[in-house]
Amino acid sequence: MSIFSKWFGTQEKQEHTMVAFATGTMCHLSETPDEAFSSLSMGNGVAITPDRPSIVAPVDGEITMIFPTKHAFGLVTEDGIELLVHMGIDTVNLKGKGYKYFKEVNTKVRAGEKIVDVDIDVIEKSGCNPIVMMIVVNENGYDFTYEANGSVKKGKSVIGRYEIKETMQ
């Protein structure tokens, strides 16, 4: 905290980044082929069509849940931001087939740390879309901006930024 912040009771803006959770081609969540996600009714975010199997943490946080069907997991940051990483469309029907987890619930992870491998061939041969979506389900007082569409590399490419919302005094 700076001396200015102490004297005037203001909070310094601190920008946080989110990294690509997969290697592949990124788009905004509104451009995904599933109405449940593209409508943004669950929250805002991005999606990546993966060309490699590894899915990594987009932020530092704690894994709070792994769906029994293994097609999705939840993360919470220290700032209380809740993220859902959903791997594939209609993959709930695979009942866990094609997913290998390296982390468990209540495990702390760092941005870029591997959480799960997705067998893209199994997903596609089952008639499902392998696109991986990250949904911010609870912004917890932060403003989010997302990077432009394009090619991204897991753990390296910045896909979004967030900072505390400015409040009117």
Side-chain angles (χ1 to χ4, degrees), residues 136-148:
V136 179
V137 295
N138 173 8
E139 294 179 346
N140 200 30
Y142 286 82
D143 278 324
F144 286 77
T145 56
Y146 300 100
E147 299 298 318

Side-chain angles (χ1 to χ4, degrees), residues 72-93:
F73 63 89
L75 280 172
V76 174
T77 69
E78 285 185 8
D79 302 313
I81 297 165
E82 297 176 46
L83 304 175
L84 174 67
V85 177
H86 190 282
M87 298 166 286
I89 295 174
D90 296 330
T91 50
V92 67
N93 300 323

Side-chain angles (χ1 to χ4, degrees), residues 66-72 91-97 99 101:
I66 297 173
F67 275 67
T69 51
K70 300 184 180 183
H71 73 288
T91 50
V92 67
N93 300 323
L94 298 178
K95 298 181 171 117
K97 185 178 173 189
Y99 299 101
Y101 276 83

Side-chain angles (χ1 to χ4, degrees), residues 12-18 79 142-145 147 158 160-164:
E12 289 182 16
K13 276 191 167 188
Q14 185 177 15
E15 185 179 77
H16 304 275
T17 58
M18 297 177 283
D79 302 313
Y142 286 82
D143 278 324
F144 286 77
T145 56
E147 299 298 318
V158 173
R161 302 171 192 286
Y162 62 97
E163 62 188 18
I164 200 147

Side-chain angles (χ1 to χ4, degrees), residues 96-115:
K97 185 178 173 189
Y99 299 101
K100 180 181 179 189
Y101 276 83
F102 297 91
K103 303 293 180 189
E104 297 177 3
V105 173
N106 300 322
T107 303
K108 291 189 186 282
V109 292
R110 307 281 300 163
E113 192 172 340
K114 183 157 111 171
I115 295 175

